[in-house]
PDB file of all heavy atoms in Angstrom:
ATOM      1  N   LEU K   9       2.917  38.442  13.459  1.00  0.00           N
ATOM      2  CA  LEU K   9       2.807  37.015  13.043  1.00  0.00           C
ATOM      3  C   LEU K   9       4.183  36.423  12.754  1.00  0.00           C
ATOM      4  O   LEU K   9       4.521  35.323  13.170  1.00  0.00           O
ATOM      5  CB  LEU K   9       1.884  36.866  11.892  1.00  0.00           C
ATOM      6  CG  LEU K   9       1.618  35.375  11.406  1.00  0.00           C
ATOM      7  CD1 LEU K   9       1.050  34.579  12.540  1.00  0.00           C
ATOM      8  CD2 LEU K   9       0.700  35.399  10.201  1.00  0.00           C
ATOM      9  N   GLY K  46      18.837  26.516  21.452  1.00  0.00           N
ATOM     10  CA  GLY K  46      18.339  25.724  20.288  1.00  0.00           C
ATOM     11  C   GLY K  46      19.344  24.699  19.752  1.00  0.00           C
ATOM     12  O   GLY K  46      19.036  24.033  18.743  1.00  0.00           O
ATOM     13  N   LEU K  53      26.868   7.098  20.231  1.00  0.00           N
ATOM     14  CA  LEU K  53      26.905   5.641  20.512  1.00  0.00           C
ATOM     15  C   LEU K  53      27.749   4.948  19.437  1.00  0.00           C
ATOM     16  O   LEU K  53      27.932   5.447  18.316  1.00  0.00           O
ATOM     17  CB  LEU K  53      25.504   5.075  20.494  1.00  0.00           C
ATOM     18  CG  LEU K  53      24.493   5.771  21.400  1.00  0.00           C
ATOM     19  CD1 LEU K  53      23.083   5.264  21.094  1.00  0.00           C
ATOM     20  CD2 LEU K  53      24.810   5.530  22.863  1.00  0.00           C
ATOM     21  N   LYS K  80      12.124  21.376  25.647  1.00  0.00           N
ATOM     22  CA  LYS K  80      11.492  22.677  25.659  1.00  0.00           C
ATOM     23  C   LYS K  80      12.045  23.526  26.846  1.00  0.00           C
ATOM     24  O   LYS K  80      12.312  24.700  26.662  1.00  0.00           O
ATOM     25  CB  LYS K  80       9.994  22.518  25.782  1.00  0.00           C
ATOM     26  CG  LYS K  80       9.230  23.849  25.714  1.00  0.00           C
ATOM     27  CD  LYS K  80       7.726  23.649  25.803  1.00  0.00           C
ATOM     28  CE  LYS K  80       7.000  24.986  25.761  1.00  0.00           C
ATOM     29  NZ  LYS K  80       5.498  24.792  25.897  1.00  0.00           N
ATOM     30  N   LEU K 131      39.540  13.592  28.093  1.00  0.00           N
ATOM     31  CA  LEU K 131      38.231  13.463  28.781  1.00  0.00           C
ATOM     32  C   LEU K 131      38.096  14.517  29.852  1.00  0.00           C
ATOM     33  O   LEU K 131      39.052  14.841  30.551  1.00  0.00           O
ATOM     34  CB  LEU K 131      38.112  12.074  29.393  1.00  0.00           C
ATOM     35  CG  LEU K 131      38.077  10.896  28.388  1.00  0.00           C
ATOM     36  CD1 LEU K 131      37.851   9.602  29.146  1.00  0.00           C
ATOM     37  CD2 LEU K 131      37.021  11.099  27.344  1.00  0.00           C
ATOM     38  N   VAL K 168      21.750   2.012  40.051  1.00  0.00           N
ATOM     39  CA  VAL K 168      22.248   1.389  41.225  1.00  0.00           C
ATOM     40  C   VAL K 168      23.470   0.581  40.877  1.00  0.00           C
ATOM     41  O   VAL K 168      23.633   0.128  39.758  1.00  0.00           O
ATOM     42  CB  VAL K 168      21.189   0.520  41.929  1.00  0.00           C
ATOM     43  CG1 VAL K 168      20.006   1.325  42.357  1.00  0.00           C
ATOM     44  CG2 VAL K 168      20.750  -0.615  40.939  1.00  0.00           C
ATOM     45  N   GLY K 171      26.760  -5.657  40.341  1.00  0.00           N
ATOM     46  CA  GLY K 171      27.805  -6.633  40.139  1.00  0.00           C
ATOM     47  C   GLY K 171      27.312  -7.720  39.194  1.00  0.00           C
ATOM     48  O   GLY K 171      26.130  -7.893  38.991  1.00  0.00           O
ATOM     49  N   GLY K 244      40.668 -12.675  46.241  1.00  0.00           N
ATOM     50  CA  GLY K 244      41.280 -11.413  46.627  1.00  0.00           C
ATOM     51  C   GLY K 244      42.361 -10.923  45.678  1.00  0.00           C
ATOM     52  O   GLY K 244      43.076  -9.978  45.991  1.00  0.00           O
ATOM     53  N   LYS K 270      45.695 -21.231  38.882  1.00  0.00           N
ATOM     54  CA  LYS K 270      46.005 -22.686  38.997  1.00  0.00           C
ATOM     55  C   LYS K 270      44.764 -23.473  39.370  1.00  0.00           C
ATOM     56  O   LYS K 270      44.471 -24.511  38.748  1.00  0.00           O
ATOM     57  CB  LYS K 270      47.109 -22.895  40.001  1.00  0.00           C
ATOM     58  CG  LYS K 270      48.516 -22.471  39.611  1.00  0.00           C
ATOM     59  CD  LYS K 270      49.495 -22.758  40.714  1.00  0.00           C
ATOM     60  CE  LYS K 270      50.896 -22.341  40.330  1.00  0.00           C
ATOM     61  NZ  LYS K 270      51.866 -22.569  41.421  1.00  0.00           N
ATOM     62  N   LYS K 277      39.506 -28.430  34.036  1.00  0.00           N
ATOM     63  CA  LYS K 277      39.985 -29.651  33.420  1.00  0.00           C
ATOM     64  C   LYS K 277      39.239 -30.879  34.002  1.00  0.00           C
ATOM     65  O   LYS K 277      38.877 -31.822  33.262  1.00  0.00           O
ATOM     66  CB  LYS K 277      41.467 -29.824  33.614  1.00  0.00           C
ATOM     67  CG  LYS K 277      42.071 -31.042  32.956  1.00  0.00           C
ATOM     68  CD  LYS K 277      43.553 -31.082  33.122  1.00  0.00           C
ATOM     69  CE  LYS K 277      44.174 -32.337  32.444  1.00  0.00           C
ATOM     70  NZ  LYS K 277      45.661 -32.399  32.647  1.00  0.00           N
ATOM     71  N   SER K 300      21.446 -30.527  31.897  1.00  0.00           N
ATOM     72  CA  SER K 300      22.503 -31.546  32.022  1.00  0.00           C
ATOM     73  C   SER K 300      23.745 -31.057  32.830  1.00  0.00           C
ATOM     74  O   SER K 300      24.746 -31.734  32.865  1.00  0.00           O
ATOM     75  CB  SER K 300      22.994 -31.989  30.630  1.00  0.00           C
ATOM     76  OG  SER K 300      23.441 -30.886  29.872  1.00  0.00           O
ATOM     77  N   VAL K 396      16.255 -14.587  45.347  1.00  0.00           N
ATOM     78  CA  VAL K 396      15.765 -13.234  45.148  1.00  0.00           C
ATOM     79  C   VAL K 396      16.071 -12.339  46.360  1.00  0.00           C
ATOM     80  O   VAL K 396      16.504 -11.213  46.237  1.00  0.00           O
ATOM     81  CB  VAL K 396      14.246 -13.217  44.828  1.00  0.00           C
ATOM     82  CG1 VAL K 396      13.748 -11.778  44.716  1.00  0.00           C
ATOM     83  CG2 VAL K 396      13.943 -14.009  43.605  1.00  0.00           C
ATOM     84  N   PHE K 400      20.520 -11.968  45.071  1.00  0.00           N
ATOM     85  CA  PHE K 400      20.408 -10.833  44.179  1.00  0.00           C
ATOM     86  C   PHE K 400      20.757  -9.529  44.887  1.00  0.00           C
ATOM     87  O   PHE K 400      21.488  -8.703  44.281  1.00  0.00           O
ATOM     88  CB  PHE K 400      18.991 -10.782  43.559  1.00  0.00           C
ATOM     89  CG  PHE K 400      18.832  -9.603  42.623  1.00  0.00           C
ATOM     90  CD1 PHE K 400      19.499  -9.568  41.429  1.00  0.00           C
ATOM     91  CD2 PHE K 400      18.041  -8.538  42.986  1.00  0.00           C
ATOM     92  CE1 PHE K 400      19.361  -8.491  40.563  1.00  0.00           C
ATOM     93  CE2 PHE K 400      17.881  -7.455  42.114  1.00  0.00           C
ATOM     94  CZ  PHE K 400      18.543  -7.440  40.908  1.00  0.00           C
ATOM     95  N   LEU K 413      40.234  -3.481  36.423  1.00  0.00           N
ATOM     96  CA  LEU K 413      40.906  -2.335  35.833  1.00  0.00           C
ATOM     97  C   LEU K 413      41.701  -2.658  34.594  1.00  0.00           C
ATOM     98  O   LEU K 413      42.399  -1.779  34.050  1.00  0.00           O
ATOM     99  CB  LEU K 413      41.759  -1.610  36.856  1.00  0.00           C
ATOM    100  CG  LEU K 413      41.031  -1.106  38.094  1.00  0.00           C
ATOM    101  CD1 LEU K 413      41.976  -0.281  38.970  1.00  0.00           C
ATOM    102  CD2 LEU K 413      39.856  -0.260  37.720  1.00  0.00           C
ATOM    103  N   TRP K 449      53.163  -5.676  30.208  1.00  0.00           N
ATOM    104  CA  TRP K 449      52.123  -4.930  30.905  1.00  0.00           C
ATOM    105  C   TRP K 449      52.690  -3.846  31.800  1.00  0.00           C
ATOM    106  O   TRP K 449      52.049  -2.831  32.038  1.00  0.00           O
ATOM    107  CB  TRP K 449      51.260  -5.911  31.712  1.00  0.00           C
ATOM    108  CG  TRP K 449      50.415  -6.803  30.841  1.00  0.00           C
ATOM    109  CD1 TRP K 449      50.048  -6.553  29.542  1.00  0.00           C
ATOM    110  CD2 TRP K 449      49.853  -8.076  31.196  1.00  0.00           C
ATOM    111  NE1 TRP K 449      49.252  -7.583  29.080  1.00  0.00           N
ATOM    112  CE2 TRP K 449      49.163  -8.519  30.047  1.00  0.00           C
ATOM    113  CE3 TRP K 449      49.841  -8.840  32.338  1.00  0.00           C
ATOM    114  CZ2 TRP K 449      48.445  -9.756  30.052  1.00  0.00           C
ATOM    115  CZ3 TRP K 449      49.168 -10.046  32.356  1.00  0.00           C
ATOM    116  CH2 TRP K 449      48.500 -10.510  31.217  1.00  0.00           C
TER     117      TRP K 449
END
Side-chain angles (χ1 to χ4, degrees):
L9 181 59
L53 306 169
K80 183 179 180 182
L131 299 183
V168 297
K270 288 179 178 178
K277 183 178 180 180
S300 58
V396 178
F400 180 69
L413 298 187
W449 290 338

